[in-house]
Structures are given as C-alpha cells and as structure tokens.
Amino acid sequence: MIQDYPLKNLTPDLADLSPENIKNYIRTESMGRKLICLETVDSTNNEGKRRSCAEREGTVIVSNRQTAGRGRLGREWTSPGGKGIWMSILLKPDLPTAKIPRLTMVAAAAICLALESVNSSLWGKVQIKWPNDILLRGKKAGGILTEMQVSGDRLQSVVLGIGLNVNLGEGDFPEELRTKATSLFLETGVPFNREVLIAEILNCFEPLYQDYLREGNLGESLEICRRQSAVIGKKVLLLEKGAGQEAEVLDLGPQGELLVKLANGHTASILSGEISLRL
Ligand code: BT5
C-alpha cells in the first residue's frame, strides 16, 4: 500500500497529467505500461476504439478533459479539465463475449481498493451501485463504461472506460447533477493526486483481471463488490424503459448477476440493467 503521497498538484485545476509521473507509481506487468496522455479528446473510449487495432492489451488512454464523455445508452458524462480521471484501458481478453460485461465489476472492485489504498479515510466508505456506479455517501463519484468491438461473433477488443470525479468542486457539475454527484475532494476536503490514483487503479485492476481470465469467475472481485455493495439488502426500483418495478436485493450471484425478491414474492436473477435506490 502506498500512502502519504506528496500532493504535487495543490492547485487541482492547473494540474497536468504526465505519463512519466504516472509510470513512477505503476507496479504492473502490462496495464498502463503504454500510457497515452491527452489534453483534450471527445471520449477516451472513442480514442480507445480508434486505436484498438494498433495498440496492445493494457494500453491506457487518459485525457485531462473530454468534450463528449459518454455514459451508458449514450448518456452524457460531465468531464471538465484538470480535475477528474477520464481514462480507458484497452483489453484483448480471450473470453467469450458473454463474459465481457462483468469486467465492469472487476474495474469497480479495483477502484474501491485503489481509493482505500491512497486515502485511509475512505476505508469502507466507497460503495458500488450495481452494476457500474461508484458512490460516496450515496452520491455518484464515478462510473464505468465497458464497450466491446466484435467482428462476426469474434471478440476483437474491449475498451473499459473509467470516470472518477477527483478534485471537482460543486460548481464543476451542471446544476441538475449537484444533488446526486460528488467528488473525492468534496467528500474528504483534500485534493488528490490524480497521477498516483490512476497508477493505483491500474495496480489494483491487473491482478483482479488476471484472476478473472484464469478462473473464468469473478472470485475476489465479487467478494469486494458484495462487501462494498450499495444495494444488497435494499429496496430498489428495477428500471426498464422508463417503468420501475419494486424489488428487494438479496445478493449478487456467482456471475455478478443481481438476485432480487420481487413484490409478488418471486425471486429473479437480473443479468443487466439499471436500478434506482430512490424509492
Ligand atoms: C456511467 O454511465 O456511469 C459511465 C461513465 C463512464 C465515464 C468514462 S470517462 C472515461 C470514459 N470515456 C467516456 O466517454 N466514458 C468513460 P451511466 O450509468 O449511464 O451514468 C450516466 C449518468 O451519470 C448521466 O446521465 C448523469 O445523470 C450522471 N453523470 C454524468 N456525469 C457525471 C459525473 N461526472 N459524475 C457523476 N454523475 C454524472
């Protein structure tokens, strides 16, 4: 565990990201060994896709700002300059396409471990809202967007996008997000060194990813997602096409699926989708 990092960038909005600085903190075999740091890009996931043929597994694209950051289903992702981590990891796993969406949970587990490792005041406080949200005190501090490129039924590559609100202040969020979004800075009162955090996410991601490839199951990632779950034991709304169905979350299943009890008493297993905790 690395602690007490020098806070090089005490003026977060003037911060730059340098591959050399990030590499100083990286302890991986492949993740982030090639780092592409950009000042501005439409979306690091788009850039990952554009480079997916030419670049190798583990290549990481980081941008200081995104002009068209995306969430799931084409939703917008607010990505102002100099204050967040907007990055994508290019992966070329030998996995069936059905197993790719669960990489989101591997990344969520890695983000939890990394945040706890860089700041002990975050121990036990980072929560994962199935399947792709990172929460602090019930507000969204980060999100994950896993996209795959397929040719026929063959997987070509995966771009795993991570957005983390690091040093954003309240004014950096659009009005409509201010009640539901937060940042590490807003929750802890201290600015974080983004370069250290990027490296630590990669350090934590690599072994969990290698386990997933080797074992074919979520293993430790699943344990972390369970332990840090914002939804297990909660009443939620299962959202589908604008409609919501009440359910109680019982657990996460072995494949990372959501096990729920519906209002009619039946249990169901939800493979993908979206839930709301605002009942
Ligand atoms: C996500 O989507 O949470 C996935 C976000 C992934 C962003 C990363 S950044 C690097 C890479 N490049 C990209 O272009 N994307 C990835 P979803 O679950 O669909 O949530 C989207 C919703 O979150 C929006 O509709 C807003 O309500 C909210 N939102 C937007 N920006 C936010 C922010 N910065 N912080 C918290 N919430 C935000």
Side-chain angles (χ1 to χ4, degrees):
M1 193 184 332
I2 315 169
Q3 266 176 334
D4 298 320
Y5 306 102
L7 281 172
K8 189 168 70 71
N9 301 317
L10 281 172
T11 318
D13 51 346
L14 295 180
D16 274 337
L17 291 171
S18 114
E20 290 70 36
N21 288 348
I22 297 171
K23 278 187 184 157
N24 281 336
Y25 302 107
I26 286 187
R27 304 184 301 273
T28 60
E29 271 166 33
S30 69
M31 296 299 147
R33 285 287 152 199
K34 174 147 188 195
L35 266 165
I36 299 165
C37 285
L38 306 168
E39 176 50 37
T40 303
V41 75
D42 52 352
S43 147
T44 56
N45 268 36
N46 292 352
E47 189 65 20
K49 278 187 216 169
R50 290 190 285 264
R51 293 178 184 252
S52 62
C53 289
E55 300 295 348
R56 60 175 184 262
E57 155 128 329
T59 299
V60 171
I61 295 145
V62 187
S63 185
N64 217 24
R65 104 180 47 239
Q66 296 185 118
T67 55
R70 293 184 285 111
R72 297 185 304 160
L73 306 169
R75 290 187 284 238
E76 238 176 77
W77 183 259
T78 297
S79 328
K83 298 186 177 182
I85 291 176
W86 326 124
M87 76 175 188
S88 299
I89 310 174
L90 179 64
L91 302 171
K92 301 193 172 178
D94 184 13
L95 284 175
T97 51
K99 290 210 173 242
I100 300 306
R102 291 298 175 248
L103 286 170
T104 296
M105 296 176 74
V106 178
I111 293 168
C112 283
L113 292 183
L115 289 176
E116 291 187 344
S117 155
V118 300
N119 187 313
S120 53
S121 78
L122 291 173
W123 280 357
K125 302 227 171 96
V126 188
Q127 289 202 299
I128 301 169
K129 176 169 164 262
W130 185 92
N132 72 316
D133 288 351
I134 303 295
L135 306 184
L136 286 171
R137 274 202 308 149
K139 290 179 163 187
K140 185 154 166 169
I144 300 157
L145 177 67
T146 302
E147 297 182 301
M148 56 180 152
Q149 290 71 53
V150 181
S151 160
D153 56 3
R154 248 188 75 83
L155 179 70
Q156 300 286 319
S157 60
V158 176
V159 178
L160 195 157
I162 294 173
L164 197 58
N165 303 325
V166 182
N167 294 324
L168 283 79
E170 213 175 300
D172 294 313
F173 294 103
E175 189 77 46
E176 68 277 9
L177 282 186
R178 286 185 195 158
T179 54
K180 39 185 191 177
T182 192
S183 71
L184 303 180
F185 173 67
L186 285 171
E187 294 305 317
T188 60
V190 293
F192 281 64
N193 182 316
R194 289 178 303 154
E195 290 164 335
V196 169
L197 193 44
I198 289 167
E200 197 57 9
I201 291 171
L202 297 170
N203 292 336
C204 293
F205 177 73
E206 186 171 274
L208 295 174
Y209 172 68
Q210 285 172 346
D211 266 9
Y212 188 53
L213 294 188
R214 206 175 30 242
E215 309 295 333
N217 63 49
L218 283 167
E220 193 188 343
S221 296
L222 182 61
E223 287 317 306
I224 296 165
C225 289
R226 280 198 176 115
R227 190 172 74 222
Q228 311 286 122
S229 173
V231 301
I232 293 175
K234 297 269 165 59
K235 289 236 159 60
V236 299
L237 274 182
L238 306 173
L239 301 174
E240 212 184 348
K241 296 188 184 118
Q245 185 184 180
E246 270 190 42
E248 184 190 341
V249 179
L250 303 173
D251 200 357
L252 297 175
Q255 307 303 323
E257 68 277 26
L258 200 67
L259 304 176
V260 298
K261 188 169 158 196
L262 302 171
N264 63 11
H266 292 165
T267 53
S269 162
I270 318 280
L271 288 174
S272 66
E274 189 146 15
I275 57 179
S276 167
L277 280 164
R278 286 162 206 269
L279 259 185

Coordinates of all heavy atoms in Angstrom, one line a residue, residues 57 89 91-107 131 144-150 153-161 205 209 212-213 216 218 255 271-272:
E57 N -2.8 -4.9 -25.6 CA -3.5 -5.1 -24.4 C -2.8 -4.3 -23.3 O -1.6 -4.3 -23.1 CB -3.6 -6.6 -24.0 CG -3.8 -6.8 -22.5 CD -4.9 -7.7 -22.2 OE1 -5.9 -7.8 -22.9 OE2 -4.8 -8.4 -21.1
I89 N -9.0 1.7 -20.6 CA -8.0 0.6 -20.7 C -8.4 -0.2 -21.9 O -9.5 -0.7 -22.0 CB -8.0 -0.2 -19.4 CG1 -7.9 0.6 -18.1 CG2 -6.9 -1.2 -19.4 CD1 -8.1 -0.2 -16.8
L91 N -8.3 -3.7 -23.7 CA -8.1 -5.1 -23.3 C -8.3 -6.0 -24.5 O -9.2 -5.7 -25.4 CB -9.0 -5.4 -22.2 CG -8.9 -4.6 -20.9 CD1 -10.1 -4.9 -20.0 CD2 -7.6 -4.8 -20.2
K92 N -7.6 -7.1 -24.6 CA -7.8 -8.1 -25.7 C -7.9 -9.4 -25.0 O -7.1 -10.3 -25.3 CB -6.7 -8.0 -26.7 CG -6.6 -6.5 -27.3 CD -5.8 -6.4 -28.5 CE -5.9 -5.1 -29.1 NZ -5.1 -4.8 -30.3
P93 N -8.9 -9.6 -24.2 CA -9.0 -10.9 -23.4 C -9.5 -12.1 -24.3 O -10.3 -11.9 -25.2 CB -10.0 -10.6 -22.4 CG -10.9 -9.5 -22.9 CD -10.1 -8.7 -23.9
D94 N -9.0 -13.2 -23.9 CA -9.5 -14.5 -24.6 C -10.7 -14.9 -23.8 O -10.6 -15.9 -23.0 CB -8.4 -15.5 -24.6 CG -8.8 -16.7 -25.4 OD1 -9.8 -16.7 -26.1 OD2 -8.1 -17.8 -25.2
L95 N -11.8 -14.3 -24.0 CA -13.0 -14.6 -23.2 C -14.2 -14.6 -24.2 O -14.2 -13.8 -25.2 CB -13.3 -13.5 -22.2 CG -12.5 -13.4 -20.9 CD1 -12.9 -12.2 -20.1 CD2 -12.7 -14.7 -20.0
P96 N -15.2 -15.4 -23.9 CA -16.5 -15.3 -24.7 C -17.1 -13.9 -24.4 O -17.0 -13.4 -23.3 CB -17.4 -16.4 -24.2 CG -16.8 -16.9 -22.9 CD -15.3 -16.4 -22.8
T97 N -17.8 -13.4 -25.5 CA -18.4 -12.1 -25.3 C -19.4 -12.0 -24.1 O -19.5 -10.9 -23.5 CB -19.2 -11.7 -26.6 OG1 -20.1 -12.8 -26.9 CG2 -18.2 -11.5 -27.8
A98 N -20.0 -13.1 -23.8 CA -20.9 -13.1 -22.6 C -20.3 -12.7 -21.3 O -20.9 -12.2 -20.4 CB -21.6 -14.4 -22.5
K99 N -18.9 -12.9 -21.3 CA -18.2 -12.6 -20.0 C -17.7 -11.2 -20.0 O -17.1 -10.8 -18.9 CB -17.1 -13.6 -19.8 CG -17.5 -15.0 -19.6 CD -16.5 -15.7 -18.7 CE -17.1 -17.1 -18.3 NZ -17.3 -17.2 -16.9
I100 N -17.8 -10.4 -21.0 CA -17.2 -9.1 -21.1 C -17.9 -8.1 -20.2 O -17.2 -7.3 -19.5 CB -17.1 -8.6 -22.5 CG1 -16.3 -9.6 -23.4 CG2 -16.6 -7.2 -22.6 CD1 -14.9 -9.8 -22.8
P101 N -19.2 -8.0 -20.2 CA -19.9 -7.0 -19.3 C -19.4 -7.1 -17.8 O -19.4 -6.1 -17.2 CB -21.4 -7.3 -19.5 CG -21.5 -8.0 -20.8 CD -20.2 -8.8 -21.0
R102 N -19.1 -8.3 -17.4 CA -18.7 -8.4 -16.0 C -17.3 -7.8 -15.7 O -16.9 -7.6 -14.5 CB -18.6 -9.9 -15.5 CG -20.0 -10.5 -15.5 CD -20.9 -9.7 -14.4 NE -22.2 -10.2 -14.4 CZ -23.3 -9.5 -14.8 NH1 -23.2 -8.3 -15.2 NH2 -24.5 -10.1 -14.8
L103 N -16.6 -7.4 -16.7 CA -15.3 -6.7 -16.5 C -15.6 -5.4 -15.7 O -14.8 -4.8 -15.0 CB -14.6 -6.4 -17.8 CG -13.9 -7.6 -18.4 CD1 -13.4 -7.3 -19.8 CD2 -12.8 -8.1 -17.5
T104 N -16.8 -4.9 -15.9 CA -17.2 -3.6 -15.2 C -17.1 -3.9 -13.7 O -16.7 -3.0 -12.9 CB -18.7 -3.3 -15.5 OG1 -18.8 -3.0 -16.9 CG2 -19.2 -2.1 -14.7
M105 N -17.5 -5.1 -13.2 CA -17.4 -5.3 -11.8 C -15.9 -5.5 -11.3 O -15.6 -5.1 -10.2 CB -18.2 -6.5 -11.4 CG -19.7 -6.2 -11.7 SD -20.8 -7.6 -11.4 CE -20.8 -7.6 -9.6
V106 N -15.1 -6.0 -12.2 CA -13.7 -6.2 -11.9 C -13.1 -4.7 -11.7 O -12.4 -4.5 -10.7 CB -12.9 -6.9 -13.0 CG1 -11.4 -7.0 -12.7 CG2 -13.5 -8.3 -13.2
A107 N -13.5 -3.9 -12.6 CA -13.0 -2.5 -12.5 C -13.6 -1.8 -11.3 O -12.8 -1.0 -10.6 CB -13.4 -1.7 -13.8
P131 N -24.8 -1.9 -11.7 CA -23.5 -2.6 -12.0 C -22.3 -1.7 -12.1 O -21.2 -2.2 -12.2 CB -23.9 -3.3 -13.3 CG -24.7 -2.3 -14.0 CD -25.5 -1.6 -12.9
I144 N -18.4 3.5 -14.7 CA -17.6 2.6 -15.6 C -18.4 2.3 -16.9 O -19.6 2.1 -16.8 CB -17.3 1.3 -14.9 CG1 -16.5 1.6 -13.6 CG2 -16.5 0.4 -15.8 CD1 -16.5 0.6 -12.6
L145 N -17.8 2.4 -18.0 CA -18.4 2.1 -19.3 C -17.6 1.1 -20.0 O -16.5 1.4 -20.5 CB -18.5 3.4 -20.1 CG -19.1 3.3 -21.5 CD1 -20.6 2.9 -21.4 CD2 -19.0 4.6 -22.3
T146 N -18.1 -0.2 -20.1 CA -17.3 -1.2 -20.8 C -17.9 -1.5 -22.1 O -19.1 -1.7 -22.3 CB -17.4 -2.5 -19.9 OG1 -16.9 -2.3 -18.6 CG2 -16.6 -3.7 -20.6
E147 N -17.1 -1.3 -23.2 CA -17.6 -1.5 -24.5 C -16.7 -2.5 -25.3 O -15.5 -2.5 -25.1 CB -17.6 -0.1 -25.3 CG -18.5 0.9 -24.6 CD -18.5 2.2 -25.4 OE1 -17.4 2.8 -25.5 OE2 -19.6 2.6 -25.8
M148 N -17.4 -3.3 -26.1 CA -16.6 -4.3 -26.9 C -16.7 -4.1 -28.4 O -17.7 -3.7 -28.8 CB -16.9 -5.7 -26.4 CG -18.3 -6.2 -26.6 SD -18.4 -7.9 -26.0 CE -20.1 -7.9 -25.4
Q149 N -15.6 -4.5 -29.1 CA -15.7 -4.5 -30.5 C -15.7 -5.9 -31.0 O -14.8 -6.7 -30.6 CB -14.4 -3.8 -31.1 CG -14.4 -2.3 -30.8 CD -14.1 -1.9 -29.4 OE1 -13.2 -2.4 -28.8 NE2 -15.0 -1.1 -28.8
V150 N -16.7 -6.3 -31.8 CA -16.8 -7.7 -32.2 C -16.9 -7.7 -33.7 O -17.4 -6.8 -34.3 CB -18.2 -8.2 -31.6 CG1 -18.4 -9.6 -32.0 CG2 -18.2 -8.0 -30.1
D153 N -18.8 -13.2 -34.6 CA -19.0 -13.5 -33.2 C -17.7 -13.5 -32.5 O -17.5 -14.0 -31.4 CB -19.8 -14.7 -32.9 CG -19.2 -15.9 -33.6 OD1 -18.1 -15.8 -34.2 OD2 -19.7 -17.0 -33.5
R154 N -16.7 -12.9 -33.1 CA -15.3 -12.9 -32.5 C -15.0 -11.6 -31.8 O -15.2 -10.5 -32.4 CB -14.2 -13.1 -33.6 CG -13.5 -14.4 -33.5 CD -12.4 -14.4 -34.5 NE -11.2 -13.6 -34.0 CZ -10.3 -14.0 -33.2 NH1 -10.4 -15.3 -32.7 NH2 -9.4 -13.3 -32.8
L155 N -14.6 -11.7 -30.6 CA -14.2 -10.5 -29.8 C -12.9 -9.9 -30.4 O -11.9 -10.7 -30.4 CB -14.1 -10.9 -28.4 CG -13.7 -9.7 -27.4 CD1 -14.9 -8.7 -27.3 CD2 -13.3 -10.2 -26.1
Q156 N -12.9 -8.7 -30.7 CA -11.7 -8.0 -31.2 C -11.0 -7.3 -30.0 O -9.8 -7.5 -29.8 CB -12.0 -7.0 -32.3 CG -12.7 -7.5 -33.5 CD -11.8 -8.3 -34.4 OE1 -10.6 -7.9 -34.6 NE2 -12.2 -9.4 -34.9
S157 N -11.7 -6.5 -29.3 CA -11.1 -5.8 -28.2 C -12.2 -5.3 -27.3 O -13.4 -5.2 -27.7 CB -10.3 -4.7 -28.7 OG -11.0 -3.8 -29.5
V158 N -11.8 -4.8 -26.1 CA -12.7 -4.2 -25.1 C -12.1 -2.9 -24.7 O -10.8 -2.8 -24.6 CB -12.8 -5.1 -23.9 CG1 -13.6 -4.5 -22.8 CG2 -13.3 -6.5 -24.2
V159 N -12.9 -1.9 -24.6 CA -12.4 -0.6 -24.1 C -13.2 -0.4 -22.8 O -14.4 -0.3 -22.7 CB -12.7 0.5 -25.1 CG1 -12.2 1.8 -24.4 CG2 -12.0 0.3 -26.4
L160 N -12.4 -0.4 -21.7 CA -13.0 -0.2 -20.4 C -12.8 1.2 -19.9 O -11.7 1.6 -19.6 CB -12.3 -1.3 -19.4 CG -13.1 -1.5 -18.1 CD1 -12.6 -2.9 -17.6 CD2 -12.8 -0.5 -17.1
G161 N -13.8 2.0 -19.9 CA -13.7 3.4 -19.5 C -14.1 3.6 -18.1 O -15.0 3.1 -17.5
F205 N -6.2 -3.2 -10.6 CA -7.0 -3.8 -11.6 C -6.3 -5.1 -12.1 O -7.0 -6.1 -12.3 CB -7.3 -2.8 -12.7 CG -8.1 -3.4 -13.9 CD1 -9.4 -3.8 -13.8 CD2 -7.4 -3.7 -15.1 CE1 -10.1 -4.3 -14.8 CE2 -8.1 -4.3 -16.2 CZ -9.5 -4.6 -16.0
Y209 N -8.1 -8.7 -12.8 CA -8.4 -9.0 -14.2 C -7.7 -10.4 -14.6 O -8.3 -11.2 -15.2 CB -7.8 -7.9 -15.1 CG -7.8 -8.1 -16.6 CD1 -9.0 -8.2 -17.3 CD2 -6.6 -8.3 -17.3 CE1 -9.1 -8.4 -18.6 CE2 -6.7 -8.5 -18.7 CZ -7.9 -8.5 -19.3 OH -7.9 -8.7 -20.7
Y212 N -9.7 -13.1 -13.2 CA -10.9 -13.4 -14.0 C -10.6 -14.1 -15.3 O -11.4 -15.0 -15.6 CB -11.6 -12.0 -14.3 CG -12.9 -12.1 -15.0 CD1 -14.0 -12.8 -14.4 CD2 -13.2 -11.4 -16.2 CE1 -15.2 -12.9 -15.0 CE2 -14.5 -11.5 -16.8 CZ -15.5 -12.2 -16.2 OH -16.7 -12.3 -16.8
L213 N -9.5 -13.8 -15.9 CA -9.1 -14.5 -17.1 C -8.8 -16.0 -16.8 O -9.2 -16.9 -17.5 CB -7.9 -13.9 -17.8 CG -8.0 -12.5 -18.3 CD1 -6.7 -12.1 -19.1 CD2 -9.2 -12.4 -19.3
G216 N -12.1 -17.7 -14.8 CA -13.4 -17.6 -15.5 C -14.5 -17.2 -14.6 O -15.7 -17.2 -15.0
L218 N -15.6 -14.4 -11.1 CA -15.3 -13.1 -10.6 C -14.4 -13.2 -9.3 O -13.8 -12.2 -8.9 CB -16.5 -12.3 -10.3 CG -17.2 -11.7 -11.6 CD1 -18.6 -11.1 -11.3 CD2 -16.3 -10.5 -12.1
Q255 N -22.1 -15.1 -11.0 CA -21.7 -14.4 -12.2 C -21.9 -12.9 -12.1 O -21.9 -12.2 -13.2 CB -22.5 -14.9 -13.4 CG -22.6 -16.4 -13.6 CD -21.2 -17.0 -13.8 OE1 -20.3 -16.4 -14.4 NE2 -21.0 -18.2 -13.1
L271 N -29.6 -10.0 -15.1 CA -28.2 -10.1 -15.7 C -27.6 -8.7 -16.0 O -26.5 -8.4 -15.8 CB -28.2 -10.9 -17.0 CG -28.4 -12.4 -16.7 CD1 -28.6 -13.1 -18.1 CD2 -27.3 -13.0 -16.0
S272 N -28.5 -7.8 -16.5 CA -28.0 -6.5 -16.8 C -29.2 -5.5 -16.6 O -30.3 -5.9 -16.6 CB -27.6 -6.4 -18.3 OG -28.6 -6.6 -19.1

